[in-house]
Amino acid sequence: DVKVTQSSRYLVKRTGEKVFLECVQDMDHENMFWYRQDPGLGLRLIYFSYDVKMKEKGDIPEGYSVSREKKERFSLILESASTNQTSMYLCASSSRRSQPQHFGDGTRLSIL
Amino acid sequence: AQSVTQPDIHITVSEGASLELRCNYSYGATPYLFWYVQSPGQGLQLLLKYFSGDTLVQGIKGFEAEFKRSQSSFNLRKPSVHWSDAAEYFCAVGGNNDMRFGAGTRLTVKP
């Protein structure tokens, strides 16, 4: 069965910390995505990657960066966490950008 | 770029009743259309997809959706709702090397 695995289900960090969210997929997909999900706002794309070391900004990249050193792994980095980054973060992968995406279970991140 | 509108933020239905969740899209060509479901605390799971061909598509868990080009709609239906269907439902449109999600509809099921 295909799988997207996010390293943490729940995470609590402090303001100003550097935070790493990790995502691994086992489907050999070219594309990987990071979304942020907030009530009433749906899914908002932060960054996506279409190949190793390749990335593009999504709709809300400010305050975030990403890293993709290996095809199966895509990391989201909060350089200096702030309280307004408290949210649910979802990772996804797909063979092509317009094709069905496979999602991880999400990381609920709280910044105190 | 394409966009998706789910007009209903929250819908409540009784168990056993029929369900229809609305989805309208904006896209210049024939889109790829998807419905996803998200149970509490989980990621999104693909319910069904439309790429081409028969405009009525069947999905998992007894759901179906109908693509109506003239109305730019892709509404999700289920004849008889179960309590386990309570979740959030997202419509998505793919095309032009992009994917856009609607804001979601939360479904509550009354006993």
Side-chain angles (χ1 to χ4, degrees):
Chain A
D1 196 14
V2 297
K3 200 156 181 64
V4 176
T5 303
Q6 294 185 230
S7 54
S8 304
R9 293 297 302 275
Y10 301 95
L11 207 53
V12 180
K13 297 292 182 180
R14 297 207 173 274
T15 304
E17 280 193 70
K18 190 169 186 176
V19 180
F20 293 85
L21 303 184
E22 307 286 344
C23 176
V24 177
Q25 52 101 357
D26 65 359
M27 294 163 281
D28 201 36
H29 282 163
E30 304 295 332
N31 296 278
M32 296 188 74
F33 309 84
W34 275 106
Y35 292 93
R36 172 176 172 159
Q37 183 179 18
D38 299 288
L41 298 178
L43 274 67
R44 293 182 290 169
L45 182 65
I46 304 172
Y47 268 97
F48 75 97
S49 168
Y50 52 91
D51 201 350
V52 174
K53 297 188 186 296
M54 307 304 288
K55 62 186 179 185
E56 281 195 24
K57 294 179 180 179
D59 300 320
I60 52 164
E62 296 77 20
Y64 303 94
S65 63
V66 290
S67 172
R68 193 165 180 203
E69 297 296 320
K70 293 184 178 182
K71 190 175 186 180
E72 67 270 19
R73 186 179 296 272
F74 192 35
S75 303
L76 179 69
I77 303 156
L78 285 65
E79 297 289 346
S80 178
S82 64
T83 55
N84 62 13
Q85 292 177 309
T86 291
S87 187
M88 168 74 98
Y89 290 87
L90 292 168
C91 175
S93 72
S94 71
S95 55
R96 294 183 182 180
R97 234 193 122 183
S98 57
Q99 297 295 308
Q101 295 181 13
H102 300 264
F103 284 83
D105 285 338
T107 296
R108 186 163 294 282
L109 175 65
S110 295
I111 306 295
L112 304 179
Chain B
Q2 59 265 44
S3 65
V4 182
T5 301
Q6 293 181 246
D8 304 304
I9 296 172
H10 186 203
I11 284 183
T12 299
V13 299
S14 297
E15 191 168 13
S18 64
L19 171 70
E20 183 168 27
L21 302 183
R22 296 184 291 163
C23 172
N24 294 100
Y25 69 89
S26 173
Y27 185 58
T30 299
Y32 300 149
L33 294 162
F34 310 91
W35 274 100
Y36 289 84
V37 60
Q38 184 183 33
S39 299
Q42 303 293 318
L44 277 68
Q45 179 185 19
L46 183 68
L47 278 177
L48 47 78
K49 61 189 177 188
Y50 171 79
F51 287 163
S52 64
D54 193 347
T55 56
L56 184 64
V57 293
Q58 304 296 321
I60 62 171
K61 302 177 189 270
F63 285 92
E64 67 178 25
E66 187 171 12
F67 170 53
K68 293 186 177 180
R69 185 189 301 275
S70 61
Q71 298 177 20
S72 298
S73 69
F74 189 57
N75 293 349
L76 182 71
R77 301 194 293 247
K78 187 170 185 178
S80 177
V81 169
H82 188 262
W83 63 265
S84 60
D85 293 325
E88 187 144 21
Y89 292 80
F90 292 91
C91 181
V93 57
N96 197 30
N97 199 33
D98 193 8
M99 175 82 75
R100 293 287 160 172
F101 289 83
T105 298
R106 177 164 299 281
L107 174 65
T108 297
V109 181
K110 293 191 302 185

